[in-house]
Amino acid sequence: MNNDFLKPVLLILLLCLLTVGVGSCINIARAKYERTVQLSAPLSPGSNFTAQTHNGSITIAGADVVDCNLTATIVGRATTEEGAKKIAEQTTIKLIPSENKLTAKIDKPKFRFSQSVSVSLDATIPDNADLELTTHNGSLVIKNITGRLNCTTHNGKIDTEQVTGAAELYTHNGSVNCREISGDTKLKT
């Protein structure tokens, strides 16, 4: 046989084998398990609410209340449903009070390359609370807040509506959309 003919055939065969080999290492169709956790804790008007999440969004709504009602949506992903459930069940969230401050603390287990977990937070808090929010790979949505805002997202957008008071809103690789906002406001994207 001619070597000129064999070289392209062998090259195509080698590329096919590499594609199959790499494709089986990266599990594209991963199993998913989702659970929700509901928490509540006192939060005096004018206090500070702090939250940080990675691979999840944060949604805050201000209301005429004296507590924080939070729903966390925890999504585990793994190669099997059992693995996804285990990761999601091992992920915990707590509301930790301290002097004039309430912190949403997320603890995630260590996981392998083919596993991940995301936590999204949805909270109703006093409308005049101050906010310190950070998310990576998720959006921030804030409505009806009259306190100070210090909010940052990486790879996500920020949407605010009916916000008054000082606000610093920063996003990396995302947009900032403000409706009915007043006060000393700094925006950066």
Side-chain angles (χ1 to χ4, degrees), residues 35-39 51-52 70-74 90-96 103-107 119-121:
R35 72 182 186 102
T36 58
V37 175
Q38 294 186 335
L39 301 170
Q52 179 176 339
L70 181 131
T71 301
T73 303
I74 302 167
Q90 289 177 343
T91 301
T92 61
I93 181 160
K94 299 175 189 171
L95 290 174
I96 301 172
T103 301
K105 180 161 176 31
I106 300 168
D107 287 315
V119 181
S120 292
L121 307 175

Side-chain angles (χ1 to χ4, degrees), residues 41-44 46-50 94-104 132:
L43 182 62
S44 300
S47 295
N48 182 287
F49 178 73
T50 301
K94 299 175 189 171
L95 290 174
I96 301 172
S98 61
E99 207 171 297
N100 290 329
K101 186 175 186 177
L102 185 64
T103 301
E132 291 181 39

Side-chain angles (χ1 to χ4, degrees), residues 16 30 39 42 55 63 65-66 81 87 91 97 126 131-132 154 168:
C16 289
R30 296 173 13 155
L39 301 170
N55 295 329
V65 296
V66 293
E81 286 186 35
I87 292 167
T91 301
L131 298 177
E132 291 181 39
H154 302 273
E168 294 184 18

Side-chain angles (χ1 to χ4, degrees), residues 105-149:
K105 180 161 176 31
I106 300 168
D107 287 315
K108 298 179 182 180
K110 293 185 179 185
F111 40 83
R112 297 186 202 119
F113 174 72
S114 62
Q115 300 172 324
S116 68
V117 67
S118 63
V119 181
S120 292
L121 307 175
D122 189 342
T124 301
I125 63 171
D127 54 9
N128 64 345
D130 296 336
L131 298 177
E132 291 181 39
L133 307 174
T134 304
T135 184
H136 299 269
N137 303 321
S139 62
L140 293 172
V141 178
I142 303 155
K143 294 181 181 179
N144 195 32
I145 295 291
T146 61
R148 289 174 298 169
L149 279 64

Side-chain angles (χ1 to χ4, degrees), residues 130-189:
D130 296 336
L131 298 177
E132 291 181 39
L133 307 174
T134 304
T135 184
H136 299 269
N137 303 321
S139 62
L140 293 172
V141 178
I142 303 155
K143 294 181 181 179
N144 195 32
I145 295 291
T146 61
R148 289 174 298 169
L149 279 64
N150 185 354
C151 303
T152 302
T153 182
H154 302 273
N155 303 320
K157 67 178 181 173
I158 298 175
D159 285 325
T160 65
E161 186 175 336
Q162 296 179 333
V163 170
T164 60
E168 294 184 18
L169 308 172
Y170 302 108
T171 181
H172 306 277
N173 302 320
S175 62
V176 178
N177 302 305
C178 299
R179 289 177 297 285
E180 298 179 53
I181 189 168
S182 63
D184 185 23
T185 304
K186 295 179 185 177
L187 308 174
K188 183 176 178 182
T189 183

